[in-house]
Amino acid sequence: MNRSGNFQARLVAVTLNVSTGGMIPVRRVVLSLIVLVGPAMAQGKNTPPPQEEIAPPVATVPYDDKLARLAEVLGSVHYLRTLCKAPGGDEWREGMKQLLDSETGSEPQRKERLTAAFNRGYRAFASVYTDCTPAAIVAEERYRNEGATLATEITSRFGN
């Protein structure tokens, strides 16, 4: 018998030797505890403690902030060019897919961050512009220029 089995046997013997006059409720409580605690005590020695799930460290690169801004710009330009029915509207979404494939291959957290930035840029203009207005055309041009500047900065500073 293991240690917890010996403990249970002694506890049962003690509770059975108690006189029955007025002690029945105590015996019931003790027996109930044995039934409830006994299996847990028997398993406590043999089961390893639960393993904490350790999240893999989030990979970051020095240009992640600029890359996130570029993704946001791509989302904005994609929305505005689609809204204004400009030729090559899907080029921007495809560009984002290529960016994700080349930059975040096996890094799901980075992929999620960049995707969220793209969606944030898309939604920002979707909440403002519902029609292609002259202001939307100007905004698209400015964002395209900002995207080109960001791409140039990233590749010239951090490119191979």
Side-chain angles (χ1 to χ4, degrees), residues 106-151:
S106 62
E107 300 167 314
Q109 291 91 357
R110 285 185 71 219
K111 185 174 185 172
E112 288 175 17
R113 273 190 303 208
L114 293 177
T115 302
F118 180 88
N119 291 337
R120 188 172 45 250
Y122 186 93
R123 289 183 189 123
F125 280 97
S127 67
V128 175
Y129 294 105
T130 56
D131 294 318
C132 184
T133 63
I137 294 169
V138 169
E140 185 272 332
E141 184 179 340
R142 287 182 180 164
Y143 270 71
R144 240 182 327 117
N145 290 337
E146 182 184 354
T149 301
L150 282 168

Side-chain angles (χ1 to χ4, degrees), residues 27-80:
R27 191 179 317 160
R28 286 185 187 151
V29 169
V30 172
L31 288 174
S32 297
L33 286 174
I34 290 172
V35 170
L36 295 174
V37 175
M41 289 178 62
Q43 291 177 357
K45 299 292 181 190
N46 297 332
T47 51
Q51 296 285 332
E52 290 184 27
E53 289 187 28
I54 299 172
V58 177
T60 57
V61 293
Y63 54 90
D64 261 353
D65 291 339
K66 288 189 181 283
L67 208 56
R69 179 61 185 155
L70 179 61
E72 196 171 335
V73 167
L74 289 173
S76 299
V77 172
H78 173 65
Y79 175 78
L80 292 168

